[in-house]
C-alpha cells in the first residue's frame, strides 16, 4: 500500500555539505535517499522542509517520503537508522494524508543559534557550537532580539546575491537569547526565513553582546533594509533547525 | 634561545587520517607542524609519542618541538591554540632537558576504549564512541581483562601484516573494564603496544561481554599466539590515547 510518510530527522551537520543532494558531496538528503531507497527496494525521493547549509545541524528536520515500504510505519525509524551513518538519526515516522508535503505544508520553523562563550577549546564539541572567547552580555542580546518580533521587511538580514524572493517580508513570532553557564542560545521562531537570515541575526546580536552595537540599533537596521548595516554572518556550526510547524502559529513559545 | 619543549595535545580524531603526516591528507601532526612552524617563523618538526591511526582520539598525546620560539614557554599553548583548528587543543607546554624525546623517552602509555552501550543513536557523539546496541556484561569483560596483566607475548593481539617487531613481548601493568550508565570503558596501561593491540583486546573483550566467549579464553588466546584465535579488531572511533608516562611504571592504577 502506498503511504505518504513524514520523517523527523536529527543530524550533526559538521561532515555534510548541507541538506540538499549534490553529486560528489556527502549530503544529508543524499544519505537519507540512499537508505530509504534501499528500504523501499526502489529509488525513492526524500523531500525536506529546510535546505540547511553546509555545517548546519538539525534536531527536528522534517521530510516526506511516498511509497510502499512493506513494513509497519512504526518500524521505519529502526530500519532506516541501521542503514544510515552515525551522524543521522530518524527520530520518528508518521503517516500523513495524501498531498501533505514537508516543504509546502510547513507553516513555521524555529532555529536555535548556539554560542559556547569560553576561551577554553573543547575538541569533542568542535563544529557543533560557535566558540566566542570574549564575554557576551546575553541581557543586551535578548533586548536586541525582541526587535525582530513581528511582521517586518527583513531585507537587511538576507545574504547579498540571494535568489530574488517574491517578498522579503516575514513574521517572527518569537525571539530570545538565554544563557546557561557558558552556553548562550538565540531562539527564533517565524513563518519563514530568508537566505542566511538567522546567521545574520545571530552575528548582529553577537555585536550587541560584545558592546559594539546597542540593542536599539536592531530596529534601525530592519527599517534601513540595507544588508551592509547588519552584522556579519555568524558561522554555520552554531546553527540548528530546532522545530518545524505544520499548523499556523502552533509554535513553542520560549 | 633554543629550547626543547614537550607539548600535551588533545584531539578529536574523527576528521583526521591519523597522527602521522601524509601529503594530501588532514593529519594531526601535519596541522601541529603547520602551527608550530608559523609560531617559530621557520619549518619545525613535531615528534609525537604515538602514531595514532585514522579516527583514533587523544586526551594527552605528547610531542616534542625544538627551536627558538621567542616567547615564554607558558604562552605557547595559547598561541598555538589560535593557529590550530577546533579539533586540536594544546593543553600544556613544558621545557625539557636536551635529548628528551616524546617517543624515545616514553616508558609507558594508557589507552581507554569507550563503548556506548545503547541502541539509541547520538548524532553529536558519532565518531567519538563505539556504539554497541546489545547489552554487554562489564563484569565478565573486567574478569577477562585481568588476564592481560603481566609480561606476555602478545603476538595473538597484533594485526596481521604488521611491520615485524624485534619482540612481541610487552608488559601490561593494569587492565580493567568499568561501566557508568551506558558507557563501558576498557582501560589498559603498559610499557608499549603492538599495532592494533588495544583494538584487538577491546574487540575480544566485547565478545566476552556479549557471551560469545568466556573470560578464561583470554589466557588461552595469549598462550596460543595466533591472531586468528583473538576477536575482531574493534573500530577506531572508540580508542583514546589517555596518558603517556616518562618514568618507568609511574602510571595511574585504574
Amino acid at each position: 500500500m502506498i503511504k505518504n510518510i513524514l520523517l523527523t530527522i536529527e543530524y550533526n551537520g559538521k561532515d555534510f555539505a548541507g541538506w540538499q543532494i549534490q553529486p560528489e558531496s556527502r549530503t544529508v538528503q543524499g544519505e537519507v535517499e540512499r537508505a530509504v531507497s534501499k528500504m523501499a527496494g526502489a529509488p525513492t525521493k526524500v523531500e525536506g522542509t529546510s535546505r540547511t547549509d553546509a555545517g548546519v545541524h538539525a534536531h527536528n528536520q522534517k521530510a516526506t517520503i511516498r511509497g510502499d515500504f512493506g513494513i509497519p510505519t512504526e518500524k521505519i525509524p529502526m530500519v532506516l537508522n541501521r542503514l544510515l551513518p552515525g551522524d543521522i538519526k530518524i527520530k520518528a515516522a508518521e503517516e500523513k494524508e495524501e498531498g501533505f508535503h514537508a516543504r509546502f505544508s510547513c507553516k513555521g520553523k524555529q532555529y536555535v543559534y548556539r554560542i559556547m562563550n569560553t576561551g577554553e577549546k573543547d575538541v569533542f564539541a568542535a563544529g557543533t557550537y560557535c566558540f566566542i572567547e570574549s564575554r557576551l552580555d546575553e541581557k543586551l542580546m535578548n533586548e536586541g532580539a525582541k526587535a525582530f518580533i513581528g511582521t517586518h521587511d527583513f531585507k537587511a538580514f538576507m545574504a547579498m546575491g540571494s535568489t530574488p524572493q517574491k517578498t522579503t517580508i516575514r513574521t517572527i513570532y518569537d525571539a530570545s537569547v538565554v544563557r546557561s553557564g557558558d552556553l548562550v542560545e538565540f531562539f527564533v521562531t517565524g513563518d519563514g526565513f530568508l537566505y542566511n537570515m538567522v546567521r545574520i541575526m545571530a552575528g548582529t546580536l553577537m555585536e550587541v553582546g560584545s558592546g559594539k552595537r546597542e540593542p536599539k540599533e536592531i530596529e534601525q537596521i530592519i527599517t534601513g533594509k540595507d544588508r551592509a548595516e547588519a552584522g556579519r554572518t555568524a558561522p554555520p556550526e552554531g546553527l540548528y533547525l530546532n522545530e518545524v510547524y505544520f499548523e499556523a502559529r502552533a509554535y513553542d513559545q520560549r
Side-chain angles (χ1 to χ4, degrees), chain A residues 154-160 162-163 165 168 194-195 200 227:
Chain A
F154 284 101
K155 202 175 164 214
F157 293 88
M158 180 172 76
M160 303 254 194
S162 300
T163 318
Q165 300 290 310
T168 47
L194 302 166
Y195 189 56
I200 301 169
R227 170 68 190 90

Side-chain angles (χ1 to χ4, degrees), chain A residues 11 13 16-19 50-57 195-196 199 236 239:
Chain A
Y11 50 87
F16 290 104
W19 167 265
S50 179
R51 280 170 292 186
T52 57
D53 274 336
V56 172
H57 319 287
Y195 189 56
N196 276 175
R199 288 168 55 190
L239 187 61

Side-chain angles (χ1 to χ4, degrees), chain A residues 105-236:
Chain A
S105 305
C106 169
K107 297 289 193 295
K109 286 180 259 189
Q110 182 184 66
Y111 284 92
V112 53
Y113 194 89
R114 297 206 161 106
I115 301 158
M116 200 49 88
N117 195 196
T118 168
E120 201 58 27
K121 264 186 175 179
D122 178 347
V123 299
F124 298 101
T128 61
Y129 295 96
C130 171
F131 280 79
I132 300 283
E133 185 166 351
S134 62
R135 183 78 181 184
L136 296 170
D137 184 326
E138 72 279 4
K139 288 192 185 64
L140 292 179
M141 290 169 78
N142 186 54
E143 200 184 317
K146 296 304 170 194
F148 293 132
I149 300 174
T151 301
H152 306 289
D153 185 337
F154 284 101
K155 202 175 164 214
F157 293 88
M158 180 172 76
M160 303 254 194
S162 300
T163 318
Q165 300 290 310
K166 261 184 298 186
T167 170
T168 47
I169 295 172
R170 295 289 184 276
T171 298
I172 297 300
Y173 301 127
D174 199 15
S176 61
V177 174
V178 291
R179 173 186 287 273
S180 333
D182 289 332
L183 179 65
V184 175
E185 294 177 300
F186 164 47
F187 289 90
V188 60
T189 310
D191 64 351
F193 294 88
L194 302 166
Y195 189 56
N196 276 175
M197 181 166 155
V198 182
R199 288 168 55 190
I200 301 169
M201 286 172 154
T204 308
L205 289 176
M206 285 191 235
E207 295 175 12
V208 169
S210 62
K212 288 195 200 89
R213 289 171 186 264
E214 288 184 52
K216 67 176 183 214
E217 288 180 54
I218 302 275
E219 196 185 327
Q220 297 159 10
I221 298 164
I222 296 172
T223 313
K225 297 179 202 172
D226 178 3
R227 170 68 190 90
E229 291 301 309
R232 66 183 183 91
T233 306

